[in-house]
Amino acid sequence: MTIYYDQFETWEGSFRELAVDLVGKEAIETLASSNFEFIEDAGDSVVRHTDIETASDAIYDWLLAHEFCVFHGTRLLPDEILSVQRLGLRPLVAADRRQRLTEILKTHPQWHHLEHRLAEVLEDVGPKNKQGRREGQVHFSLSRSGLANGFDHYLSHGSEFDQHVVQRLFGDQSGLHLLHSETVPIIVHVRIGGEELVRGAHPHFSYSDIIGMGEIPGIARVFLNSWAFKIANPSFDIAKLRTDCCMMQRVATPPERIIDLEKFGGRT
């Protein structure tokens, strides 16, 4: 079964088995009768029955044993939707954005005066990493709710890279409305393995590096805290957390790994 973080029923059972093996049934029963104000406190209550390294290792094994759905939010031109269906998602290459941004921005009143600067701006925001640092990357969210209801600027105006380029090109916010009006909001549902999820969620310090710092790695904390808080508060809807848990990849996502292309508010 593919795990959808926002859909607790897709992972509650297997994570419960992990938790029982980790701290025992009595500790889980105590957890279920507890009252926590903050989600972090729920996770900490589990860790107090074991230790950071043991808990992190157990969750790591659980992550590696499962498949997950992650979400990429963007806005696309109609032909780009077809391209994703046929070719999958590719890491951002700044030079490849020139044609699509020209198509989107050509009706801007200042376009003909500034068009000659587009290549320079693309180089600055892309390979020269002067803003955004998105060259060669694809970003995903573990939580669809977080993407759609929390950090939803991807769905309102598309990629952060394009937004940075447009603002630098025109020197103001005047081009952002075209990124919105000329494109379609899309949430790409992608199936990935646990190992990829772990690597993508910790692009700078590895999972083991973070354990060595005396902390439970972020992706493990997300599942541990959410599970424990939900067990203590059964009526709580995890989707309402709008969890900001992102992951990054530097490789293409082949089309066979794409579960769905969701037009925001409906299906494509």
PDB file of all heavy atoms in Angstrom, residues 106-135:
ATOM      1  N   LYS A 106       4.796  37.733 -22.950  1.00  0.00           N
ATOM      2  CA  LYS A 106       4.801  38.551 -24.175  1.00  0.00           C
ATOM      3  C   LYS A 106       3.742  39.639 -24.207  1.00  0.00           C
ATOM      4  O   LYS A 106       3.866  40.603 -24.976  1.00  0.00           O
ATOM      5  CB  LYS A 106       4.663  37.642 -25.399  1.00  0.00           C
ATOM      6  CG  LYS A 106       3.343  36.872 -25.469  1.00  0.00           C
ATOM      7  CD  LYS A 106       3.346  35.903 -26.636  1.00  0.00           C
ATOM      8  CE  LYS A 106       2.036  35.114 -26.709  1.00  0.00           C
ATOM      9  NZ  LYS A 106       2.064  34.116 -27.808  1.00  0.00           N
ATOM     10  N   THR A 107       2.695  39.517 -23.376  1.00  0.00           N
ATOM     11  CA  THR A 107       1.655  40.551 -23.358  1.00  0.00           C
ATOM     12  C   THR A 107       1.907  41.627 -22.298  1.00  0.00           C
ATOM     13  O   THR A 107       1.123  42.573 -22.180  1.00  0.00           O
ATOM     14  CB  THR A 107       0.267  39.928 -23.100  1.00  0.00           C
ATOM     15  OG1 THR A 107       0.268  39.237 -21.850  1.00  0.00           O
ATOM     16  CG2 THR A 107      -0.102  38.962 -24.219  1.00  0.00           C
ATOM     17  N   HIS A 108       2.978  41.488 -21.543  1.00  0.00           N
ATOM     18  CA  HIS A 108       3.306  42.518 -20.536  1.00  0.00           C
ATOM     19  C   HIS A 108       3.668  43.822 -21.249  1.00  0.00           C
ATOM     20  O   HIS A 108       4.418  43.804 -22.233  1.00  0.00           O
ATOM     21  CB  HIS A 108       4.478  42.050 -19.666  1.00  0.00           C
ATOM     22  CG  HIS A 108       4.711  42.896 -18.463  1.00  0.00           C
ATOM     23  ND1 HIS A 108       5.316  44.138 -18.542  1.00  0.00           N
ATOM     24  CD2 HIS A 108       4.426  42.699 -17.151  1.00  0.00           C
ATOM     25  CE1 HIS A 108       5.398  44.663 -17.325  1.00  0.00           C
ATOM     26  NE2 HIS A 108       4.858  43.805 -16.465  1.00  0.00           N
ATOM     27  N   PRO A 109       3.161  44.962 -20.793  1.00  0.00           N
ATOM     28  CA  PRO A 109       3.422  46.237 -21.491  1.00  0.00           C
ATOM     29  C   PRO A 109       4.904  46.600 -21.585  1.00  0.00           C
ATOM     30  O   PRO A 109       5.288  47.357 -22.490  1.00  0.00           O
ATOM     31  CB  PRO A 109       2.651  47.261 -20.648  1.00  0.00           C
ATOM     32  CG  PRO A 109       2.321  46.590 -19.369  1.00  0.00           C
ATOM     33  CD  PRO A 109       2.230  45.142 -19.655  1.00  0.00           C
ATOM     34  N   GLN A 110       5.740  46.070 -20.705  1.00  0.00           N
ATOM     35  CA  GLN A 110       7.167  46.393 -20.749  1.00  0.00           C
ATOM     36  C   GLN A 110       8.007  45.294 -21.414  1.00  0.00           C
ATOM     37  O   GLN A 110       9.227  45.419 -21.487  1.00  0.00           O
ATOM     38  CB  GLN A 110       7.678  46.608 -19.312  1.00  0.00           C
ATOM     39  CG  GLN A 110       7.061  47.789 -18.595  1.00  0.00           C
ATOM     40  CD  GLN A 110       7.356  49.092 -19.315  1.00  0.00           C
ATOM     41  OE1 GLN A 110       8.498  49.354 -19.700  1.00  0.00           O
ATOM     42  NE2 GLN A 110       6.333  49.906 -19.512  1.00  0.00           N
ATOM     43  N   TRP A 111       7.325  44.259 -21.902  1.00  0.00           N
ATOM     44  CA  TRP A 111       8.059  43.110 -22.404  1.00  0.00           C
ATOM     45  C   TRP A 111       9.042  43.466 -23.511  1.00  0.00           C
ATOM     46  O   TRP A 111      10.208  43.086 -23.476  1.00  0.00           O
ATOM     47  CB  TRP A 111       7.090  42.035 -22.880  1.00  0.00           C
ATOM     48  CG  TRP A 111       7.755  40.871 -23.585  1.00  0.00           C
ATOM     49  CD1 TRP A 111       7.630  40.510 -24.884  1.00  0.00           C
ATOM     50  CD2 TRP A 111       8.677  39.930 -22.998  1.00  0.00           C
ATOM     51  NE1 TRP A 111       8.389  39.408 -25.166  1.00  0.00           N
ATOM     52  CE2 TRP A 111       9.052  39.031 -24.019  1.00  0.00           C
ATOM     53  CE3 TRP A 111       9.207  39.773 -21.733  1.00  0.00           C
ATOM     54  CZ2 TRP A 111       9.934  37.984 -23.813  1.00  0.00           C
ATOM     55  CZ3 TRP A 111      10.107  38.732 -21.509  1.00  0.00           C
ATOM     56  CH2 TRP A 111      10.451  37.856 -22.540  1.00  0.00           C
ATOM     57  N   HIS A 112       8.616  44.203 -24.496  1.00  0.00           N
ATOM     58  CA  HIS A 112       9.483  44.492 -25.648  1.00  0.00           C
ATOM     59  C   HIS A 112      10.676  45.361 -25.277  1.00  0.00           C
ATOM     60  O   HIS A 112      11.695  45.352 -25.972  1.00  0.00           O
ATOM     61  CB  HIS A 112       8.682  45.139 -26.776  1.00  0.00           C
ATOM     62  CG  HIS A 112       7.658  44.212 -27.376  1.00  0.00           C
ATOM     63  ND1 HIS A 112       8.009  43.058 -28.031  1.00  0.00           N
ATOM     64  CD2 HIS A 112       6.302  44.270 -27.399  1.00  0.00           C
ATOM     65  CE1 HIS A 112       6.916  42.435 -28.438  1.00  0.00           C
ATOM     66  NE2 HIS A 112       5.866  43.141 -28.068  1.00  0.00           N
ATOM     67  N   HIS A 113      10.576  46.082 -24.181  1.00  0.00           N
ATOM     68  CA  HIS A 113      11.702  46.896 -23.723  1.00  0.00           C
ATOM     69  C   HIS A 113      12.691  46.071 -22.901  1.00  0.00           C
ATOM     70  O   HIS A 113      13.875  46.429 -22.802  1.00  0.00           O
ATOM     71  CB  HIS A 113      11.205  48.064 -22.861  1.00  0.00           C
ATOM     72  CG  HIS A 113      10.265  48.986 -23.572  1.00  0.00           C
ATOM     73  ND1 HIS A 113      10.660  49.808 -24.614  1.00  0.00           N
ATOM     74  CD2 HIS A 113       8.936  49.210 -23.402  1.00  0.00           C
ATOM     75  CE1 HIS A 113       9.616  50.501 -25.051  1.00  0.00           C
ATOM     76  NE2 HIS A 113       8.559  50.154 -24.336  1.00  0.00           N
ATOM     77  N   LEU A 114      12.232  44.982 -22.333  1.00  0.00           N
ATOM     78  CA  LEU A 114      13.064  44.217 -21.397  1.00  0.00           C
ATOM     79  C   LEU A 114      13.384  42.802 -21.863  1.00  0.00           C
ATOM     80  O   LEU A 114      14.175  42.108 -21.225  1.00  0.00           O
ATOM     81  CB  LEU A 114      12.373  44.158 -20.031  1.00  0.00           C
ATOM     82  CG  LEU A 114      12.165  45.504 -19.331  1.00  0.00           C
ATOM     83  CD1 LEU A 114      11.291  45.341 -18.093  1.00  0.00           C
ATOM     84  CD2 LEU A 114      13.510  46.115 -18.948  1.00  0.00           C
ATOM     85  N   GLU A 115      12.787  42.376 -22.959  1.00  0.00           N
ATOM     86  CA  GLU A 115      12.977  41.002 -23.445  1.00  0.00           C
ATOM     87  C   GLU A 115      14.456  40.657 -23.600  1.00  0.00           C
ATOM     88  O   GLU A 115      14.873  39.527 -23.314  1.00  0.00           O
ATOM     89  CB  GLU A 115      12.262  40.830 -24.785  1.00  0.00           C
ATOM     90  CG  GLU A 115      12.419  39.445 -25.386  1.00  0.00           C
ATOM     91  CD  GLU A 115      11.721  39.314 -26.738  1.00  0.00           C
ATOM     92  OE1 GLU A 115      11.182  40.333 -27.234  1.00  0.00           O
ATOM     93  OE2 GLU A 115      11.725  38.196 -27.281  1.00  0.00           O
ATOM     94  N   HIS A 116      15.266  41.629 -24.036  1.00  0.00           N
ATOM     95  CA  HIS A 116      16.690  41.374 -24.274  1.00  0.00           C
ATOM     96  C   HIS A 116      17.448  41.006 -23.002  1.00  0.00           C
ATOM     97  O   HIS A 116      18.536  40.428 -23.067  1.00  0.00           O
ATOM     98  CB  HIS A 116      17.342  42.610 -24.912  1.00  0.00           C
ATOM     99  CG  HIS A 116      17.456  43.788 -23.995  1.00  0.00           C
ATOM    100  ND1 HIS A 116      16.372  44.602 -23.697  1.00  0.00           N
ATOM    101  CD2 HIS A 116      18.504  44.271 -23.259  1.00  0.00           C
ATOM    102  CE1 HIS A 116      16.765  45.561 -22.853  1.00  0.00           C
ATOM    103  NE2 HIS A 116      18.037  45.373 -22.566  1.00  0.00           N
ATOM    104  N   ARG A 117      16.875  41.272 -21.827  1.00  0.00           N
ATOM    105  CA  ARG A 117      17.537  40.991 -20.552  1.00  0.00           C
ATOM    106  C   ARG A 117      17.192  39.600 -19.997  1.00  0.00           C
ATOM    107  O   ARG A 117      17.783  39.168 -19.006  1.00  0.00           O
ATOM    108  CB  ARG A 117      17.157  42.048 -19.502  1.00  0.00           C
ATOM    109  CG  ARG A 117      17.689  43.431 -19.769  1.00  0.00           C
ATOM    110  CD  ARG A 117      17.593  44.292 -18.513  1.00  0.00           C
ATOM    111  NE  ARG A 117      18.330  43.679 -17.402  1.00  0.00           N
ATOM    112  CZ  ARG A 117      17.765  43.354 -16.232  1.00  0.00           C
ATOM    113  NH1 ARG A 117      16.462  43.564 -16.025  1.00  0.00           N
ATOM    114  NH2 ARG A 117      18.487  42.812 -15.271  1.00  0.00           N
ATOM    115  N   LEU A 118      16.262  38.913 -20.642  1.00  0.00           N
ATOM    116  CA  LEU A 118      15.779  37.654 -20.086  1.00  0.00           C
ATOM    117  C   LEU A 118      16.891  36.631 -19.918  1.00  0.00           C
ATOM    118  O   LEU A 118      17.012  35.986 -18.867  1.00  0.00           O
ATOM    119  CB  LEU A 118      14.648  37.076 -20.942  1.00  0.00           C
ATOM    120  CG  LEU A 118      14.057  35.747 -20.441  1.00  0.00           C
ATOM    121  CD1 LEU A 118      13.500  35.893 -19.032  1.00  0.00           C
ATOM    122  CD2 LEU A 118      12.966  35.254 -21.403  1.00  0.00           C
ATOM    123  N   ALA A 119      17.739  36.458 -20.938  1.00  0.00           N
ATOM    124  CA  ALA A 119      18.810  35.462 -20.866  1.00  0.00           C
ATOM    125  C   ALA A 119      19.755  35.763 -19.700  1.00  0.00           C
ATOM    126  O   ALA A 119      20.181  34.860 -18.966  1.00  0.00           O
ATOM    127  CB  ALA A 119      19.574  35.404 -22.181  1.00  0.00           C
ATOM    128  N   GLU A 120      20.081  37.039 -19.514  1.00  0.00           N
ATOM    129  CA  GLU A 120      20.968  37.442 -18.422  1.00  0.00           C
ATOM    130  C   GLU A 120      20.344  37.137 -17.056  1.00  0.00           C
ATOM    131  O   GLU A 120      21.014  36.621 -16.150  1.00  0.00           O
ATOM    132  CB  GLU A 120      21.267  38.934 -18.529  1.00  0.00           C
ATOM    133  CG  GLU A 120      22.064  39.503 -17.380  1.00  0.00           C
ATOM    134  CD  GLU A 120      22.104  41.027 -17.396  1.00  0.00           C
ATOM    135  OE1 GLU A 120      21.702  41.623 -18.420  1.00  0.00           O
ATOM    136  OE2 GLU A 120      22.519  41.614 -16.379  1.00  0.00           O
ATOM    137  N   VAL A 121      19.049  37.444 -16.911  1.00  0.00           N
ATOM    138  CA  VAL A 121      18.357  37.198 -15.652  1.00  0.00           C
ATOM    139  C   VAL A 121      18.256  35.703 -15.382  1.00  0.00           C
ATOM    140  O   VAL A 121      18.452  35.251 -14.247  1.00  0.00           O
ATOM    141  CB  VAL A 121      16.963  37.861 -15.650  1.00  0.00           C
ATOM    142  CG1 VAL A 121      16.180  37.458 -14.404  1.00  0.00           C
ATOM    143  CG2 VAL A 121      17.089  39.376 -15.720  1.00  0.00           C
ATOM    144  N   LEU A 122      17.959  34.920 -16.410  1.00  0.00           N
ATOM    145  CA  LEU A 122      17.908  33.467 -16.250  1.00  0.00           C
ATOM    146  C   LEU A 122      19.247  32.919 -15.753  1.00  0.00           C
ATOM    147  O   LEU A 122      19.295  32.044 -14.881  1.00  0.00           O
ATOM    148  CB  LEU A 122      17.537  32.797 -17.574  1.00  0.00           C
ATOM    149  CG  LEU A 122      16.077  32.923 -18.029  1.00  0.00           C
ATOM    150  CD1 LEU A 122      15.928  32.443 -19.461  1.00  0.00           C
ATOM    151  CD2 LEU A 122      15.153  32.145 -17.109  1.00  0.00           C
ATOM    152  N   GLU A 123      20.340  33.432 -16.304  1.00  0.00           N
ATOM    153  CA  GLU A 123      21.671  33.003 -15.886  1.00  0.00           C
ATOM    154  C   GLU A 123      21.941  33.375 -14.430  1.00  0.00           C
ATOM    155  O   GLU A 123      22.483  32.576 -13.657  1.00  0.00           O
ATOM    156  CB  GLU A 123      22.721  33.660 -16.794  1.00  0.00           C
ATOM    157  CG  GLU A 123      24.161  33.335 -16.444  1.00  0.00           C
ATOM    158  CD  GLU A 123      24.584  31.944 -16.867  1.00  0.00           C
ATOM    159  OE1 GLU A 123      23.836  31.270 -17.591  1.00  0.00           O
ATOM    160  OE2 GLU A 123      25.690  31.526 -16.453  1.00  0.00           O
ATOM    161  N   ASP A 124      21.535  34.576 -14.038  1.00  0.00           N
ATOM    162  CA  ASP A 124      21.767  35.036 -12.667  1.00  0.00           C
ATOM    163  C   ASP A 124      20.989  34.209 -11.648  1.00  0.00           C
ATOM    164  O   ASP A 124      21.526  33.775 -10.623  1.00  0.00           O
ATOM    165  CB  ASP A 124      21.357  36.509 -12.520  1.00  0.00           C
ATOM    166  CG  ASP A 124      22.439  37.464 -12.991  1.00  0.00           C
ATOM    167  OD1 ASP A 124      23.551  36.995 -13.300  1.00  0.00           O
ATOM    168  OD2 ASP A 124      22.176  38.679 -13.049  1.00  0.00           O
ATOM    169  N   VAL A 125      19.695  33.993 -11.921  1.00  0.00           N
ATOM    170  CA  VAL A 125      18.841  33.287 -10.971  1.00  0.00           C
ATOM    171  C   VAL A 125      19.110  31.785 -11.006  1.00  0.00           C
ATOM    172  O   VAL A 125      18.949  31.097  -9.998  1.00  0.00           O
ATOM    173  CB  VAL A 125      17.350  33.577 -11.256  1.00  0.00           C
ATOM    174  CG1 VAL A 125      16.454  32.838 -10.264  1.00  0.00           C
ATOM    175  CG2 VAL A 125      17.074  35.082 -11.165  1.00  0.00           C
ATOM    176  N   GLY A 126      19.569  31.294 -12.164  1.00  0.00           N
ATOM    177  CA  GLY A 126      19.835  29.873 -12.321  1.00  0.00           C
ATOM    178  C   GLY A 126      21.258  29.479 -11.988  1.00  0.00           C
ATOM    179  O   GLY A 126      21.616  29.360 -10.811  1.00  0.00           O
ATOM    180  N   PRO A 127      22.132  29.285 -12.986  1.00  0.00           N
ATOM    181  CA  PRO A 127      23.488  28.779 -12.729  1.00  0.00           C
ATOM    182  C   PRO A 127      24.310  29.617 -11.753  1.00  0.00           C
ATOM    183  O   PRO A 127      25.127  29.077 -11.004  1.00  0.00           O
ATOM    184  CB  PRO A 127      24.125  28.789 -14.124  1.00  0.00           C
ATOM    185  CG  PRO A 127      22.972  28.646 -15.064  1.00  0.00           C
ATOM    186  CD  PRO A 127      21.841  29.397 -14.419  1.00  0.00           C
ATOM    187  N   LYS A 128      24.122  30.935 -11.750  1.00  0.00           N
ATOM    188  CA  LYS A 128      24.913  31.780 -10.847  1.00  0.00           C
ATOM    189  C   LYS A 128      24.353  31.822  -9.425  1.00  0.00           C
ATOM    190  O   LYS A 128      24.968  32.405  -8.537  1.00  0.00           O
ATOM    191  CB  LYS A 128      25.009  33.198 -11.420  1.00  0.00           C
ATOM    192  CG  LYS A 128      25.847  33.272 -12.694  1.00  0.00           C
ATOM    193  CD  LYS A 128      26.021  34.713 -13.170  1.00  0.00           C
ATOM    194  CE  LYS A 128      26.915  34.770 -14.397  1.00  0.00           C
ATOM    195  NZ  LYS A 128      27.086  36.166 -14.890  1.00  0.00           N
ATOM    196  N   ASN A 129      23.177  31.236  -9.242  1.00  0.00           N
ATOM    197  CA  ASN A 129      22.591  31.092  -7.891  1.00  0.00           C
ATOM    198  C   ASN A 129      22.499  32.413  -7.126  1.00  0.00           C
ATOM    199  O   ASN A 129      22.713  32.459  -5.918  1.00  0.00           O
ATOM    200  CB  ASN A 129      23.398  30.090  -7.047  1.00  0.00           C
ATOM    201  CG  ASN A 129      23.095  28.653  -7.425  1.00  0.00           C
ATOM    202  OD1 ASN A 129      21.969  28.323  -7.780  1.00  0.00           O
ATOM    203  ND2 ASN A 129      24.102  27.807  -7.367  1.00  0.00           N
ATOM    204  N   LYS A 130      22.161  33.482  -7.823  1.00  0.00           N
ATOM    205  CA  LYS A 130      22.060  34.771  -7.143  1.00  0.00           C
ATOM    206  C   LYS A 130      20.737  34.935  -6.393  1.00  0.00           C
ATOM    207  O   LYS A 130      20.576  35.857  -5.612  1.00  0.00           O
ATOM    208  CB  LYS A 130      22.243  35.910  -8.142  1.00  0.00           C
ATOM    209  CG  LYS A 130      23.667  36.019  -8.678  1.00  0.00           C
ATOM    210  CD  LYS A 130      23.859  37.261  -9.516  1.00  0.00           C
ATOM    211  CE  LYS A 130      25.314  37.409  -9.963  1.00  0.00           C
ATOM    212  NZ  LYS A 130      25.521  38.629 -10.784  1.00  0.00           N
ATOM    213  N   GLN A 131      19.797  34.035  -6.662  1.00  0.00           N
ATOM    214  CA  GLN A 131      18.503  34.114  -5.961  1.00  0.00           C
ATOM    215  C   GLN A 131      17.780  32.779  -6.100  1.00  0.00           C
ATOM    216  O   GLN A 131      17.698  32.226  -7.186  1.00  0.00           O
ATOM    217  CB  GLN A 131      17.647  35.237  -6.562  1.00  0.00           C
ATOM    218  CG  GLN A 131      16.453  35.639  -5.722  1.00  0.00           C
ATOM    219  CD  GLN A 131      15.782  36.890  -6.287  1.00  0.00           C
ATOM    220  OE1 GLN A 131      16.122  37.381  -7.359  1.00  0.00           O
ATOM    221  NE2 GLN A 131      14.820  37.409  -5.558  1.00  0.00           N
ATOM    222  N   GLY A 132      17.268  32.258  -4.984  1.00  0.00           N
ATOM    223  CA  GLY A 132      16.437  31.059  -5.042  1.00  0.00           C
ATOM    224  C   GLY A 132      17.159  29.737  -4.980  1.00  0.00           C
ATOM    225  O   GLY A 132      16.706  28.796  -4.353  1.00  0.00           O
ATOM    226  N   ARG A 133      18.289  29.603  -5.685  1.00  0.00           N
ATOM    227  CA  ARG A 133      19.081  28.364  -5.697  1.00  0.00           C
ATOM    228  C   ARG A 133      18.230  27.145  -6.059  1.00  0.00           C
ATOM    229  O   ARG A 133      18.103  26.206  -5.291  1.00  0.00           O
ATOM    230  CB  ARG A 133      19.769  28.152  -4.348  1.00  0.00           C
ATOM    231  CG  ARG A 133      20.781  29.238  -4.009  1.00  0.00           C
ATOM    232  CD  ARG A 133      21.462  28.979  -2.675  1.00  0.00           C
ATOM    233  NE  ARG A 133      22.405  30.047  -2.353  1.00  0.00           N
ATOM    234  CZ  ARG A 133      23.679  30.084  -2.747  1.00  0.00           C
ATOM    235  NH1 ARG A 133      24.151  29.089  -3.488  1.00  0.00           N
ATOM    236  NH2 ARG A 133      24.455  31.081  -2.413  1.00  0.00           N
ATOM    237  N   ARG A 134      17.637  27.161  -7.253  1.00  0.00           N
ATOM    238  CA  ARG A 134      16.759  26.068  -7.672  1.00  0.00           C
ATOM    239  C   ARG A 134      17.294  25.294  -8.870  1.00  0.00           C
ATOM    240  O   ARG A 134      16.700  24.313  -9.286  1.00  0.00           O
ATOM    241  CB  ARG A 134      15.368  26.627  -8.026  1.00  0.00           C
ATOM    242  CG  ARG A 134      14.567  27.120  -6.822  1.00  0.00           C
ATOM    243  CD  ARG A 134      14.186  25.961  -5.929  1.00  0.00           C
ATOM    244  NE  ARG A 134      13.276  26.330  -4.874  1.00  0.00           N
ATOM    245  CZ  ARG A 134      13.639  26.680  -3.649  1.00  0.00           C
ATOM    246  NH1 ARG A 134      14.929  26.727  -3.333  1.00  0.00           N
ATOM    247  NH2 ARG A 134      12.739  26.992  -2.738  1.00  0.00           N
ATOM    248  N   GLU A 135      18.425  25.728  -9.437  1.00  0.00           N
ATOM    249  CA  GLU A 135      18.966  25.067 -10.620  1.00  0.00           C
ATOM    250  C   GLU A 135      19.241  23.591 -10.349  1.00  0.00           C
ATOM    251  O   GLU A 135      19.838  23.219  -9.334  1.00  0.00           O
ATOM    252  CB  GLU A 135      20.259  25.768 -11.054  1.00  0.00           C
ATOM    253  CG  GLU A 135      20.929  25.177 -12.298  1.00  0.00           C
ATOM    254  CD  GLU A 135      20.280  25.613 -13.605  1.00  0.00           C
ATOM    255  OE1 GLU A 135      19.288  26.363 -13.549  1.00  0.00           O
ATOM    256  OE2 GLU A 135      20.765  25.198 -14.667  1.00  0.00           O
TER     257      GLU A 135
END
